[in-house]
């Protein structure tokens, strides 16, 4: 829910930036047509008629944009609906339906009114004499129009600043997620589902699994192999409460643990750190029940003792702890790993068989040998996917990656729109002030001085927008604090980097008009006027 709210806010900010940008451009366009509107008003056109004309133009623009947006939406939703690598509920059912079309129409009309009303109101209340003064060729534009467009640019930069800082915080958080110690090494580890029939007999299962692992280990470049009935960050289950033998049953003495049924070699194949001993093929139903537990579970059950050699109790079963393995993230990367217990596949009934292989050979080279070996063992082995373990991890973090990608895309779009807004206003201002700049250069102003003046105005507009944007970001960052992972909502490096990026883009956007202004020929400017 929080993620969707943040995405809605990001979309809303983008829409506001677009509205502000187009409002600014339409205001500049309407100002250049001030003589036209003044003449029409003198000929009897009412104020409402002038406003309706500008609204009609803005609605036409908005509807054209909405139609183009729907085409991209259809393509985008079709693509997302067929992305099995993104772990989002009901993603495959996403489509552009009647509700989406109605909402698009409503948003398009609202946007048209938003960015079309301000120019209409501004131009319709002018009078003929003011319009003729401001509308003559070469005259500098009235201060009121200049001030309104400057305010719109400041608002645009502020909105872009909020988007950039929000995206920066989420991106930094995502990078922290990728740096989490998973408790195992997903690189160079691969998995494939194995199909076998042991007729519900442990002896047959032991022979089949030993044969599978020994044959796989015989493949050149295979460093380790093992089988588990479940993999971390996929399916998981619990069989009940664990406690230390002899300890009182109390809430803090033990708890439900995620359980796995594994073969010897599984921990090495996963790249997990094991202290104590691994399972052996002799750990069957004729021997003492044994278990390997995680470090957090060991600390929980025996806080001041070595867990190896101790006896844990699960229901009526006494389980000898033979090893302690590193904590593995069993449900997600972001949640802290909980208690986990591993049983021998010859002492408990597994729910399936996921073969895990560790090898430095690329998967496309290893897959053929592995599948050929499995089909030699079992001709009925189905054609299943040979997956890198990293793919399992990527699937677990895919919702956050998708979320960050969307917000980053919105922030990038906002930055582009803000730069276009700055460029449009400064460029139009230079065009309107051609005569003034020509006079200044004729009186001795250097090209560098003219550039500095134009860039100075650009920096002032961008600076005012950044100040407003940073203030709003400090407040809004608290709203996304629950979506951040080990990142402070007021993270100074993120704020500094995003502000620097926005400043650089603003200067670049203002440099082109500034350079054009410095190349104005005073004689040509005065002659054309």
């Amino acid at each position: 829910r929080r993620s969707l709210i943040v995405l809605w806010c990001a979309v809303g900010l983008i829409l506001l930036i677009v509205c502000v940008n187009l409002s600014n451009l339409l205001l500049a366009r309407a100002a250049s047509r001030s003589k036209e509107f003044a003449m029409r008003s003198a000929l009897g056109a009412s104020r409402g008629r002038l406003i309706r004309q500008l609204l009609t133009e803005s609605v036409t623009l908005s509807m054209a944009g909405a139609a183009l947006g729907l085409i991209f939406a259809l393509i985008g939703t079709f693509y997302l609906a067929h992305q099995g690598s993104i772990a989002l509920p009901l993603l495959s059912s996403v489509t552009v339906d009647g509700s989406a079309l109605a909402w698009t129409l409503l948003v398009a009309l609202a946007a048209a009114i938003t960015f079309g009303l301000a120019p209409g109101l501004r131009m319709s209340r002018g009078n003929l004499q003011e319009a003729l003064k401001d509308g003559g060729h070469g005259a500098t534009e009235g201060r009121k129009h200049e001030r309104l467009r400057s305010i719109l640019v400041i608002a645009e930069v502020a909105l872009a600043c909020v988007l950039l800082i929000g995206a920066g915080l989420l991106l930094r958080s995502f990078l922290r997620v990728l740096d989490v110690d998973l408790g195992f090494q997903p690189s160079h580890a691969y998995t494939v589902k194995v199909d076998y029939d042991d007729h519900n007999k442990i002896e047959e299962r032991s022979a089949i699994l030993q044969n599978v692992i020994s044959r796989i280990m015989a493949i050149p470049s295979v460093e380790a192999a093992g089988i588990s009935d479940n993999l971390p960050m996929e399916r998981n289950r619990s069989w009940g409460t664990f406690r230390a033998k002899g300890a009182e049953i109390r809430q803090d003495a033990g708890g439900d643990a995620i359980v796995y049924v594994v073969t010897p070699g599984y921990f090495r194949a996963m790249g997990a750190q094991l202290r104590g001993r691994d399972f052996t093929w002799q750990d069957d139903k004729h021997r003492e029940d044994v278990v390997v537990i995680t470090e957090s579970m060991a600390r929980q059950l025996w806080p001041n003792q070595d867990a190896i050699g101790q006896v844990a109790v699960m229901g009526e079963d006494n389980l000898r702890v033979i090893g302690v393995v590193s904590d593995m993230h069993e449900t997600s990367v972001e949640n802290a790993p909980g208690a986990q217990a591993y049983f021998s596949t010859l002492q408990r009934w597994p729910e399936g068989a996921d073969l895990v292989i560790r090898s430095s050979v690329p998967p496309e080279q290893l897959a053929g040998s592995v599948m050929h070996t499995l089909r030699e063992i079992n001709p009925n082995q189905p054609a299943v996917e040979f997956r890198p373990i990293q793919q399992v991890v990527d699937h677990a973090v895919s919702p956050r990656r998708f979320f960050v990608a969307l917000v980053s895309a919105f922030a990038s779009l906002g930055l582009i729109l803000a730069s276009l807004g700055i460029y449009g206003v400064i460029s139009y201002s230079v065009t309107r002030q051609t005569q003034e700049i020509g006079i200044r250069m004729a009186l001795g102003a250097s090209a560098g001085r003219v550039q500095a003046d134009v860039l100075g105005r650009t920096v002032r507009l961008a600076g005012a927008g950044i100040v407003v944007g940073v203030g709003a970001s400090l407040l809004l960052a608290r709203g996304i604090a629950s979506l951040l992972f080990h990142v402070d909502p007021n993270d100074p490096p993120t704020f500094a980097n995003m502000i620097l990026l926005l400043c650089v883009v603003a200067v670049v956007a203002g440099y082109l008009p500034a350079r054009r202004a410095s190349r104005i020929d005073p004689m040509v400017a005065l002659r054309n006027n």
Side-chain angles (χ1 to χ4, degrees):
R1 181 181 181 85
R2 293 189 186 96
S3 298
L4 288 176
I5 291 174
V6 170
L7 287 178
W8 269 107
C9 291
V11 172
L13 288 176
I14 284 293
L15 187 61
L16 280 176
I17 292 175
V18 172
C19 290
V20 169
N21 211 344
L22 291 179
S23 182
N24 215 335
L25 294 176
L26 287 178
L27 184 63
R29 182 169 179 266
S32 65
R33 298 164 61 192
S34 57
K35 181 184 292 187
E36 171 196 338
F37 286 112
M39 292 299 294
R40 293 187 59 197
S41 180
L43 293 173
S46 65
R47 184 183 183 189
R49 180 67 184 86
L50 299 178
I51 293 176
R52 286 197 300 274
Q53 176 184 343
L54 289 173
L55 280 178
T56 301
E57 295 175 1
S58 64
V59 167
T60 302
L61 285 174
S62 182
M63 289 303 172
L68 185 60
L70 280 174
I71 295 175
F72 285 111
L74 289 169
I75 297 173
T77 52
F78 178 81
Y79 172 77
L80 289 176
H82 292 80
Q83 291 299 301
S85 61
I86 303 176
L88 288 177
L90 303 178
L91 184 63
S92 60
S93 64
V94 172
T95 184
V96 179
D97 56 9
S99 299
L101 292 174
W103 177 250
T104 302
L105 177 62
L106 178 62
V107 170
L109 289 174
I113 294 173
T114 301
F115 70 72
L117 193 58
L121 291 175
R122 171 65 67 179
M123 297 311 302
S124 64
R125 67 182 178 211
N127 57 55
L128 179 59
Q129 306 229 345
E130 289 181 351
L132 291 176
K133 287 179 182 178
D134 288 339
H137 180 68
T140 57
E141 190 171 1
R143 290 183 177 272
K144 56 184 179 180
H145 297 156
E146 191 80 11
R147 188 180 304 113
L148 178 58
R149 287 205 301 277
S150 297
I151 292 174
L152 290 175
V153 168
I154 291 172
E156 194 173 0
V157 173
L159 293 173
C161 184
V162 172
L163 269 176
L164 278 175
I165 291 176
L169 290 172
L170 292 170
L171 179 59
R172 188 172 175 85
S173 179
F174 179 66
L175 295 177
R176 292 286 178 87
V177 169
L178 297 182
D179 288 338
V180 168
D181 181 8
L182 300 173
F184 59 92
Q185 300 296 326
S187 57
H188 303 299
Y190 312 99
T191 181
V192 60
K193 287 192 176 296
V194 176
D195 184 55
Y196 68 90
D197 184 9
D198 59 6
H199 301 96
N200 292 325
K201 295 181 179 180
I202 291 181
E203 293 78 8
E204 291 191 29
R205 185 193 318 149
S206 175
I208 293 172
L209 297 184
Q210 285 190 64
N211 185 37
V212 168
I213 292 177
S214 63
R215 293 283 299 275
I216 294 297
M217 287 293 294
I219 298 175
S221 77
V222 171
E223 302 170 7
I227 293 177
S228 174
D229 65 341
N230 288 309
L231 293 176
M233 288 182 277
E234 288 197 328
R235 296 176 297 127
N236 56 69
R237 68 197 185 282
S238 173
W239 285 345
T241 301
F242 286 77
R243 62 183 177 85
K245 186 174 183 178
E248 296 180 3
I249 301 178
R250 61 182 190 275
Q251 186 174 0
D252 60 347
D256 291 346
I258 303 298
V259 295
Y260 300 88
V261 181
V262 303
T263 68
Y266 169 75
F267 298 117
R268 186 178 170 211
M270 288 293 291
Q273 297 296 321
L274 176 65
R275 185 169 59 86
R277 75 170 178 88
D278 195 357
F279 295 112
T280 67
W281 295 109
Q282 285 70 46
D283 291 320
D284 56 19
K285 65 177 182 179
H286 303 296
R287 298 289 184 89
E288 179 184 28
D289 287 342
V290 293
V291 66
V292 173
I293 62 176
T294 55
E295 293 175 350
S296 60
M297 186 174 178
R299 289 192 299 269
Q300 184 182 21
L301 297 181
W302 296 280
N304 300 314
Q305 304 176 55
D306 187 357
I308 297 177
Q310 302 287 349
V311 176
V313 178
M314 182 189 69
E316 301 296 328
D317 296 334
N318 292 328
L319 308 167
R320 180 73 62 183
V321 178
I322 62 172
V324 176
V325 70
S326 54
D327 290 324
M328 300 189 201
H329 288 252
E330 75 279 4
T331 56
S332 72
V333 177
E334 300 169 34
N335 296 330
Q340 300 161 41
Y342 298 84
F343 292 94
S344 170
T345 191
L346 305 182
Q347 293 184 342
R348 291 294 186 275
W349 296 100
E351 294 183 351
D354 287 291
L355 174 64
V356 179
I357 302 168
R358 178 160 293 274
S359 173
S360 57
V361 173
E364 56 272 12
Q365 298 180 19
L366 185 63
S369 300
V370 171
M371 297 307 298
H372 177 72
T373 301
L374 291 178
R375 289 195 177 96
E376 282 185 343
I377 299 172
N378 177 17
N380 296 322
Q381 167 71 30
V384 291
E385 184 181 8
F386 188 83
R387 299 181 297 162
I389 295 293
Q390 185 63 53
Q391 182 177 321
V392 178
V393 178
D394 291 343
H395 190 263
V397 301
S398 60
R400 179 177 283 272
R401 177 185 285 108
F402 179 66
F403 174 65
V404 172
L406 282 181
V407 176
S408 299
F410 294 148
S412 301
L413 183 58
L415 182 63
I416 293 173
L417 291 172
S419 65
L420 290 176
I422 294 173
Y423 172 81
V425 167
I426 300 301
S427 180
Y428 185 78
S429 177
V430 169
T431 301
R432 297 289 293 178
Q433 294 177 4
T434 298
Q435 181 193 13
E436 176 185 337
I437 295 173
I439 294 174
R440 290 179 57 199
M441 296 186 73
L443 293 175
S446 64
R449 177 63 181 174
V450 172
Q451 281 192 17
D453 289 344
V454 176
L455 284 175
R457 181 167 180 239
T458 302
V459 171
R460 286 194 297 273
L461 290 176
I466 289 173
V467 170
V468 176
V470 169
S473 298
L474 290 172
L475 296 176
L476 295 178
R478 300 176 184 177
I480 64 172
S482 60
L483 299 175
L484 303 179
F485 183 79
H486 296 171
V487 173
D488 183 19
N490 301 327
D491 184 51
T494 300
F495 275 71
N497 289 330
M498 294 301 104
I499 291 172
L500 178 61
L501 175 61
L502 190 54
C503 288
V504 170
V505 171
V507 171
V508 171
Y511 173 73
L512 296 178
R515 186 179 180 185
R516 179 161 54 87
S518 66
R519 293 184 173 183
I520 292 176
D521 187 339
M523 297 302 296
V524 173
L526 295 175
R527 186 183 305 118
N528 290 339
N529 188 58

